[in-house]
């Protein structure tokens, strides 16, 4: 190789080594960066054997749902003898190398665009090195006058190799023909659906499926928070785990609603509290229900993603319920651009559901315009703050309070119509539910 060219290549590789150290150091200090790196990088992209090893460890941890703490523990658990075998040409200790990576990354920890650029640079430099290797091989062919290979074949091979490398970096996957993809789709097992617990609703939407964003809209006082608890109980009763975020009720209030539903005795029934207590104790002793309740506000979508990812991968949570959308305010969000903020939230929720293979159910407040109309039946345009709620949701439902015409209803009971206004993979429709306010329970009225 030309001496000047080799010198230039060595300078480029030296810079790659420094960038890799920053990238590795950032991954070991920032869980979001760690996850993002595994989406766009491969172990082959790294030059330094230590970085190849650490990235493989990180990638394996991500696939297993491990946290950043677990990754760091695995890295620091590598013995010095095993570390030296990773790169026999290097004499640096594990502690020295990891410390160097962490120190180099520290100034950039709060600047996401910098680490994004470094990840991109590592990707591009891999392509540059591969192309340089191919260039050397091609150069030998071009100057070898005894080579009988046609020059057009040489050029065509270069073009194919370059395109394959570029396609692999851009898409991370190889092309499969139509027949292969069709057979794969044919033989793929149909994904499990989770019953809503309401037969008529299941008939309309075929239950909840992985990857879906479901929106349930209602005006104030109709009972959307109570409906969220009912859904959580219906789902966990089938053996699935549910995570419920509530921004209006504390844990105690949510549990009291669960106890009322399961015991059949309301919290306000003073003369039956002992009976209620005993029924709840029996329920707790025998139940397999698993609802994880959170009351902390969501103000950072990145942190919320990490929390949901852990719940999905480590705790096998299949459904996440959020009560409710309009109470989410992101850190740094602008009060004068609420529509854009809601769009960002719903788009992220949709992507999270798809990526994590879970169902996300969000409750949404309806605009006041709904109550000003003569016909107060909710429509899609009543979803408050943004059209992205409708656009990003696979399913949109409404709870609509009806006038009571049934003399059999008590003072604490009301009739509520559940309306499926949008169903991307099925049909729309509606049916009536009976809401028992004393038990905070929605019951299906069968025709």
């Amino acid at each position: 190789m030309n001496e000047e060219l080799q010198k230039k290549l060595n300078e480029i590789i030296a810079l790659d080594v420094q960038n890799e150290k920053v990238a590795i150091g950032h991954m070991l200090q920032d869980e979001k960066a760690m996850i993002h790196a595994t989406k766009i990088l491969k172990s082959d992209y790294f030059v330094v054997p230590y970085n190849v090893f650490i990235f493989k460890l990180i990638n394996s941890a991500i696939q297993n749902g491990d946290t950043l703490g677990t990754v760091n523990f695995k890295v620091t658990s590598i013995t010095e003898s095993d570390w030296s075998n990773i790169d026999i040409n290097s004499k640096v200790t594990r502690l020295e190398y990891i410390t160097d990576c962490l120190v180099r990354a520290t100034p950039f920890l709060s600047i996401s665009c910098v680490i994004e650029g470094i990840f991109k640079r590592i990707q591009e430099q891999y392509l540059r090195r591969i192309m340089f290797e191919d260039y050397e091989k091609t150069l030998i062919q071009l100057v070898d006058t005894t080579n009988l290979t046609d020059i057009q074949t040489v050029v065509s091979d270069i073009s194919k190799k370059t395109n394959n490398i570029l396609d692999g970096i851009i898409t991370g996957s190889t092309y499969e023909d139509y027949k292969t993809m069709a057979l794969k789709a044919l033989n793929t097992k149909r994904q499990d659906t989770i019953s809503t617990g309401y037969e008529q609703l299941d008939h309309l939407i075929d239950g909840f499926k992985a990857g879906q964003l479901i929106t349930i809209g209602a005006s104030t006082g109709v009972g959307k928070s109570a409906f969220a608890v009912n859904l959580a109980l219906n789902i966990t009763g089938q053996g699935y785990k549910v995570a419920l975020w509530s921004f209006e009720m504390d844990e105690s209030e949510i549990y009291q609603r669960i106890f009322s539903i399961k015991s059949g005795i309301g919290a306000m029934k003073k003369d039956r509290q002992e009976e209620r207590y005993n029924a709840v104790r029996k329920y707790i002793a025998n139940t397999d229900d698993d609802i994880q309740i959170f009351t902390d506000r969501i103000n950072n979508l990145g942190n919320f993603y990490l929390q949901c990812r852990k719940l999905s991968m480590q705790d096998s949570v299949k459904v996440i319920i959020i009560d409710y959308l309009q109470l989410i305010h992101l850190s740094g969000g602008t009060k004068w651009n609420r529509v854009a903020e809601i769009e960002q939230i719903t788009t992220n929720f949709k992507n999270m559901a798809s990526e994590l293979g879970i169902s996300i159910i969000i409750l949404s407040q309806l605009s006041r315009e709904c109550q000003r109309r003569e016909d107060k039946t909710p429509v899609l345009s009543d979803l408050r703050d943004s059209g992205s709620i409708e656009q990003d949701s696979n399913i949109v439902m409404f709870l609509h309070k009806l006038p009571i015409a049934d003399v059999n209803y008590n003072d604490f009971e009301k009739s509520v119509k559940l309306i499926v206004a949008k169903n991307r993979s099925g049909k729309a429709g509606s049916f009536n539910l009976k809401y028992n306010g004393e038990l905070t329970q929605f019951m299906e009225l069968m025709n």
Side-chain angles (χ1 to χ4, degrees), residues 42-159:
K42 298 178 182 178
S43 59
D44 294 343
Y45 295 177
F46 294 88
V47 173
V48 181
Y50 295 137
N51 298 335
V52 174
F53 180 85
I54 294 172
F55 186 78
K56 285 182 178 179
L57 189 152
I58 289 173
N59 195 50
S60 175
I62 292 298
Q63 298 304 317
N64 293 331
D66 293 335
T67 62
L68 177 61
T70 303
V71 172
N72 276 291
F73 175 76
K74 289 182 178 180
V75 171
T76 55
S77 297
I78 303 171
T79 65
E80 289 298 342
S81 58
D82 288 338
W83 179 261
S84 63
N85 290 329
I86 297 173
D87 187 356
I88 58 175
N89 297 316
S90 174
K91 300 302 180 183
V92 65
T93 66
R94 173 185 53 76
L95 179 60
E96 290 171 340
Y97 190 83
I98 297 300
T99 301
D100 188 27
C101 291
L102 296 176
V103 169
R104 289 175 183 273
T106 299
F108 309 111
L109 285 177
S110 60
I111 313 173
S112 59
C113 61
V114 172
I115 195 62
E116 177 79 23
I118 290 176
F119 288 168
K120 183 71 173 176
R121 182 68 175 173
I122 291 173
Q123 198 180 54
E124 291 173 347
Q125 287 302 92
Y126 165 73
L127 175 60
R128 190 190 301 272
R129 293 193 302 271
I130 293 296
M131 290 183 68
F132 193 88
E133 291 174 8
D134 285 341
Y135 159 77
E136 284 193 287
K137 294 174 184 177
T138 304
L139 190 61
I140 294 173
Q141 287 181 299
L142 291 174
V143 298
D144 184 4
T145 57
T146 65
N147 192 340
L148 300 178
T149 304
D150 186 81
I151 189 66
Q152 291 182 344
T153 303
V154 175
V155 173
S156 177
D157 287 344
I158 296 172
S159 178

Side-chain angles (χ1 to χ4, degrees), residues 298-306 330 344-345 348-349 352:
I298 300 171
N299 53 32
N300 184 293
L301 292 175
N303 291 339
F304 182 64
Y305 165 81
L306 293 175
L330 303 181
Q344 183 183 3
I345 293 168
N348 272 269
F349 284 172
M352 282 172 49

Side-chain angles (χ1 to χ4, degrees), residues 283-321:
Y283 158 70
I284 294 172
N286 296 288
T287 187
D288 292 321
D289 291 350
D290 195 343
I291 303 174
Q292 298 192 35
I293 300 170
F294 302 89
T295 57
D296 51 309
R297 294 297 179 101
I298 300 171
N299 53 32
N300 184 293
L301 292 175
N303 291 339
F304 182 64
Y305 165 81
L306 293 175
Q307 194 171 7
C308 291
R309 179 181 173 276
K310 180 182 177 183
L311 287 168
S312 171
M313 299 189 72
Q314 293 188 351
D315 300 331
S316 300
V317 168
K318 296 297 183 184
V319 179
I320 288 173
I321 303 174

Side-chain angles (χ1 to χ4, degrees), residues 327-343:
L327 291 179
I328 299 176
H329 295 276
L330 303 181
S331 299
T334 54
K335 295 180 180 179
W336 57 86
N337 197 6
R338 181 60 173 162
V339 171
E341 188 176 39
I342 291 291
E343 287 177 357

Side-chain angles (χ1 to χ4, degrees), residues 8 14 16 59 108 116 129 167 170 193 201 203 215 248 268 272 279 290 298 343 359 364 397 415 417 430:
K8 182 65 176 176
D16 291 343
N59 195 50
F108 309 111
E116 177 79 23
R129 293 193 302 271
D167 287 345
I170 294 173
T193 60
L201 182 55
H203 178 71
T215 296
E248 286 197 311
M268 302 304 292
R272 300 184 64 188
D290 195 343
I298 300 171
E343 287 177 357
S359 301
S364 178
M397 306 184 246
S415 182
K417 177 178 282 190
S430 65

Side-chain angles (χ1 to χ4, degrees), residues 404-420:
I404 296 177
D406 193 330
V407 293
N408 295 317
Y409 277 64
N410 298 319
D411 291 341
F412 48 80
E413 294 177 331
K414 60 185 176 185
S415 182
V416 175
K417 177 178 282 190
L418 193 153
I419 304 165
V420 178

